[in-house]
Amino acid sequence: VDYAWSSFSLGNGADQIQLTKADGTVVDRVAYDDGMLWPDLAGRSISLRVSGRDVFANDDPANWCSSSSAISATNADMGTPRADNDSCP
């Protein structure tokens, strides 16, 4: 781990993630809505398509998909903590 954030959380509604340099320059920003355009299924994280991995394409909700892997045998929520994200279909 190069850096661990201790006060970072994602909203379950509309929110944004913004990465900045120390001088305040925005490196990348992704703003998402409350499920109108973005994948927003209860209990599922979302993954970015490989083809959407640039500062412009990652802004398009069509380049994101819901996770398809259960977190564990005892947790039915979908996501891949501490592992690569699921590939988008």
Side-chain angles (χ1 to χ4, degrees):
V1 174
D2 291 327
Y3 186 84
W5 285 270
S6 60
S7 61
F8 181 79
S9 63
L10 297 172
N12 283 329
D15 205 347
Q16 68 176 342
I17 301 167
Q18 183 169 293
L19 301 175
T20 58
K21 293 182 179 180
D23 67 3
T25 303
V26 176
V27 175
D28 196 9
R29 176 183 167 277
V30 174
Y32 55 92
D33 64 22
D34 192 19
M36 294 183 69
L37 298 174
W38 288 76
D40 186 19
L41 298 172
R44 291 185 176 213
S45 64
I46 59 175
S47 299
L48 180 61
R49 294 181 198 289
V50 172
S51 63
R53 292 183 182 171
D54 72 50
V55 299
F56 301 108
N58 68 11
D59 297 331
D60 184 350
N63 286 324
W64 294 80
C65 65
S66 295
S67 296
S68 57
S69 296
I71 289 178
S72 71
T74 59
N75 186 338
D77 285 345
M78 302 292 196
T80 56
R82 295 175 299 282
D84 290 343
N85 289 343
D86 290 328
S87 295
C88 291

